[in-house]
Amino acid sequence: EKLVAGLGKTRDNIVSGMDSIFHGFSRIDDDFYEELEEVLIMGDLGVQATYDILDDLKAKVKEKHIKEPMECRELLIESIKEQMDIGETAYEFENHTSVVMVIGVNGVGKTTTIGKLAGKLRAEDKKVVIAAADTFRAAAGEQLKEWANRSQAELIGGQEGSDPASVVFDAVAAAKARHADVLMIDTAGRLHNKKNLMEELRKMNKIIDREFPEAYRETLVVLDATTGQNALQQAKEFNDVAEITGIVLTKMDGTAKGGIAVAIHAELGVPVKYIGVGETIDDLQKFDADDFVNALFE
Ligand code: GDP
């Protein structure tokens, strides 16, 4: 399966390390837990999630009177799954008239993600409108056009340098006129200029509030998993300026840092909704914590 294959490097990084601890120790002691801690932290699960997971594991070991390190494997898998379980992850934007704002810094895979999502929605016979509101990058518009053509979505573009809010205004009008199911808005994620970013998002949101109050709203942040702790930092910064409803983690296929998905859940409480495990349309997958952990420990 694609997920299992895509997580290969992360598996090598985290699970191989764990298994050598499970095999290498003859009893469960402080050294054992310390080495597990190191593997989890090196695996980008983050300090907070690592401590929570290990506390939970210790409690389970005690409660069940476990003596053999190997018996901890299943318990650890359970603890990681529980750590990632932050309730139902809704994909309501697939079922309502929805406006999905997509933010993320350049190069993380934002355009590709919008293209893949448009393709998925089109395959489900949904009507999709894409707003090219990242008017700072001419290349982004061209690339979006290609993806839009491929998935037969309608693209509403702006001139380079034009006001993103006016592109959103036009796109909302088009989405309403065509009775679109989903309007996706590609935005410029200029984190280095937080004040501008905030102001831009505020203007766009105001237009949607006013022109399309009945729409279901979603704000997705796209993060590049290969950047590990940087991705987590970006997520936190975007969380400060926008009401994030979900995360898309791209490039999981090329990285050993897939553990960052666990850290993001733990530290932001925002669900990872999709992961990218390659460059084609089929490589964008709905994220499911259980499937993710199972694929990892395959
Ligand atoms: P943007 O600047 O954020 O819009 O980034 P792009 O969508 O242009 O993507 C940057 C590069 O990352 C492109 O070469 C994409 O093909 C690649 N990319 C995006 N998502 C994935 C993924 O899930 N896996 C892999 N391997 N590459 C990806």
Side-chain angles (χ1 to χ4, degrees), residues 106-112 116 137 143 251 253 276-279:
N106 292 347
V108 293
K110 195 160 48 106
T111 313
T112 309
K116 288 174 179 171
R137 289 194 301 168
Q143 219 189 327
K251 311 185 197 180
D253 49 312
V277 291
E279 300 192 68

Side-chain angles (χ1 to χ4, degrees), residues 7-19:
L7 293 175
K9 286 188 182 170
T10 301
R11 181 179 316 115
D12 288 346
N13 186 20
I14 303 174
V15 179
S16 309
M18 279 180 187
D19 282 340

Side-chain angles (χ1 to χ4, degrees), residues 107-162:
V108 293
K110 195 160 48 106
T111 313
T112 309
T113 296
I114 291 172
K116 288 174 179 171
L117 259 178
K120 274 181 153 357
L121 292 165
R122 284 294 303 148
E124 294 167 16
D125 235 14
K126 300 270 164 48
K127 240 184 231 169
V128 180
V129 174
I130 300 173
D134 181 354
T135 56
F136 295 89
R137 289 194 301 168
E142 278 307 308
Q143 219 189 327
L144 261 187
K145 199 182 284 172
E146 257 172 55
W147 277 106
N149 285 342
R150 217 176 299 167
S151 58
Q152 294 168 298
E154 182 168 359
L155 182 73
I156 305 296
Q159 302 288 342
E160 192 175 347
S162 67

Side-chain angles (χ1 to χ4, degrees), residues 108-283:
V108 293
K110 195 160 48 106
T111 313
T112 309
T113 296
I114 291 172
K116 288 174 179 171
L117 259 178
K120 274 181 153 357
L121 292 165
R122 284 294 303 148
E124 294 167 16
D125 235 14
K126 300 270 164 48
K127 240 184 231 169
V128 180
V129 174
I130 300 173
D134 181 354
T135 56
F136 295 89
R137 289 194 301 168
E142 278 307 308
Q143 219 189 327
L144 261 187
K145 199 182 284 172
E146 257 172 55
W147 277 106
N149 285 342
R150 217 176 299 167
S151 58
Q152 294 168 298
E154 182 168 359
L155 182 73
I156 305 296
Q159 302 288 342
E160 192 175 347
S162 67
D163 181 6
S166 76
V167 177
V168 169
F169 185 89
D170 292 345
V172 166
K176 283 163 75 170
R178 317 275 192 285
H179 302 286
D181 297 292
V182 180
L183 165 60
M184 274 191 276
I185 304 175
D186 184 24
T187 67
R190 297 179 301 158
L191 255 187
H192 59 278
N193 197 333
K194 267 201 198 173
K195 226 177 129 210
N196 281 6
L197 175 63
M198 232 166 165
E199 179 60 15
E200 233 160 62
L201 291 173
R202 195 188 62 77
K203 272 165 72 182
M204 288 191 268
N205 278 319
K206 206 167 118 190
I207 284 168
I208 304 162
D209 289 343
R210 193 182 69 208
E211 303 294 325
F212 213 173
E214 68 274 29
Y216 171 80
R217 303 283 286 277
E218 182 109 40
T219 301
L220 300 179
V221 172
V222 182
L223 302 168
D224 178 344
T226 64
T227 64
Q229 296 301 310
N230 265 337
L232 179 62
Q233 185 55 31
Q234 276 173 27
K236 284 180 181 166
E237 292 188 36
F238 277 120
N239 206 25
D240 289 341
V241 296
E243 270 179 53
I244 300 175
T245 58
I247 305 277
V248 180
L249 263 180
T250 64
K251 311 185 197 180
M252 290 289 261
D253 49 312
T255 185
K257 299 178 178 176
I260 200 69
V262 182
I264 286 171
H265 273 246
E267 300 203 20
L268 285 119
V270 176
V272 175
K273 293 209 167 173
Y274 287 92
I275 55 173
V277 291
E279 300 192 68
T280 70
I281 283 194
D282 294 330
D283 297 329

